[in-house]
Amino acid sequence: MPTPLVPREQSAPRLHPGRGRVVLRRDMGEFGDPAPRPLPRRAVVELARPVLQPLAALVGVETLDRVVALTFDDGPDPHHTPRLLDVLGERGAHATFFVLSEAAEQHPDLVRRIVAEGHELALHSRDHRRRLAQVPYEESMRVVAESRAVVEQIAGRPIHLFRPPYGSHTVRQRRGWARQGLRVVLWSSSVEDWYHGEQDEMVRRAYASLHPGALVLMHDTRADPETASDPSELPRHDRAAVLDALLRRIAADGYRTRTAGELLSEYPPVRAMMRDMMR
């Protein structure tokens, strides 16, 4: 018998009430090698904040506390996700899993395990075959709504956070999903784990991507292997071993991990002008 769907709240959990920031994409630095924090304050951007804020994407939080949210896309995956969950449990860490509804239907027990072990469940659309910014508006609304319903039915709880595949979306789509009660969450740091790297290299790359208040992009698996220009670039590294080594290193350096929802509720949000994502 299917798990009963938990009644959905009318809106997503509130962001931290602080004013937050709007920043320029170039000020953030590369996702895999972010600029030092705090980010610069530009007078023109501050003056234009009321106009820019609705156009800017949510990418992290404003803080100098050594706290980050680890987020995983493209799962659940029967090989990697259980081992990632084992490592998180052993380290007493929690993460946010942006799942694809097609994968969730194939592996419902993994979705329920994510929830049962106290992690945050979020949505990553139906599949990873299309950039939603290139999909007609009405279709994009329908695809995301249907995918959300599938995952909520499996998990037995509501979902409020959504990350479009590749981060690709339009401002109009983001507003439409907001009316559905979904908050679009991108990232400010990336482990760049969609291509292969040796474990030491991956840990170095992962640590280089961190900064206080980061939403860190990671993956359970690569959901679009067909797009690789060179098959030798496809990831073969041990994702769980990389996660374990990363958690050890960040703990030794005084970092704490939170879920994306916790981070966004505890610190003022940072939004960025991300024209490279709006296509």
Side-chain angles (χ1 to χ4, degrees):
M1 179 179 297
T3 303
L5 180 62
V6 174
R8 181 182 301 155
E9 298 175 17
Q10 292 301 306
S11 61
R14 292 175 62 88
L15 290 177
H16 185 279
R19 178 178 177 179
R21 294 278 307 281
V22 175
V23 301
L24 301 180
R25 172 71 180 87
R26 67 172 182 265
D27 286 337
M28 295 172 58
E30 297 300 320
F31 289 135
D33 185 18
R37 267 46 178 183
L39 294 171
R41 289 188 177 272
R42 298 187 181 275
V44 173
V45 176
E46 289 291 308
L47 287 173
R49 192 181 69 85
V51 175
L52 296 178
Q53 185 165 305
L55 307 177
L58 193 62
V59 296
V61 300
E62 184 176 23
T63 182
L64 293 180
D65 293 348
R66 298 178 81 78
V67 58
V68 298
L70 302 182
T71 70
F72 292 89
D73 288 8
D74 291 9
D77 175 84
H79 177 67
H80 297 291
T81 306
R83 300 177 64 230
L84 291 170
L85 290 170
D86 288 345
V87 170
L88 290 167
E90 290 166 4
R91 298 291 162 210
H94 289 96
T96 299
F97 287 81
F98 289 87
V99 303
L100 296 167
S101 65
E102 281 190 353
E105 286 185 294
Q106 295 169 5
H107 310 291
D109 290 346
L110 287 179
V111 174
R112 297 186 184 111
R113 181 180 169 188
I114 289 170
V115 172
E117 295 185 7
H119 302 288
E120 184 174 38
L121 189 67
L123 183 65
H124 197 39
S125 194
R126 179 173 60 203
D127 55 56
H128 220 289
R129 289 187 285 273
R130 293 186 296 177
R131 295 176 183 269
L132 291 178
Q134 300 171 0
V135 172
Y137 174 79
E138 295 299 337
E139 182 182 353
S140 69
M141 295 299 106
R142 175 181 54 79
V143 166
V144 171
E146 291 175 353
S147 301
R148 180 189 191 183
V150 167
V151 177
E152 288 183 334
Q153 183 69 49
I154 294 169
R157 64 172 51 191
I159 287 175
H160 296 299
L161 302 184
F162 172 54
R163 176 176 288 161
Y166 307 105
S168 172
H169 70 291
T170 67
V171 172
R172 185 187 180 199
Q173 286 174 331
R174 191 185 330 137
R175 290 172 173 170
W177 293 322
R179 288 191 289 271
Q180 294 180 1
L182 286 171
R183 192 182 305 286
V184 173
V185 177
L186 300 185
W187 59 90
S188 59
S189 300
S190 173
V191 176
E192 300 182 4
D193 55 358
W194 54 85
Y195 59 93
H196 182 66
E198 298 301 324
Q199 181 172 323
D200 289 347
E201 175 194 350
M202 289 298 304
V203 175
R204 179 202 59 77
R205 186 189 304 165
Y207 192 77
S209 84
L210 295 183
H211 62 82
L215 292 171
V216 185
L217 174 64
M218 304 178 75
H219 295 79
D220 300 41
T221 185
R222 178 165 175 166
D224 62 346
E226 68 281 356
T227 65
S229 58
D230 182 353
S232 68
E233 295 180 354
L234 291 174
R236 303 180 301 282
H237 50 265
D238 186 331
R239 295 178 187 272
V242 170
L243 174 63
D244 185 61
L246 176 62
L247 286 172
R248 290 172 183 267
R249 180 167 179 179
I250 67 176
D253 205 18
Y255 272 101
R256 296 176 291 114
T257 60
R258 310 289 282 166
T259 67
E262 289 170 338
L263 209 63
L264 292 167
S265 67
E266 294 171 7
Y267 298 93
V270 173
R271 296 177 174 86
M273 302 298 297
M274 306 278 280
R275 287 184 296 177
D276 53 331
M277 296 291 183
M278 306 303 170
R279 60 178 184 263

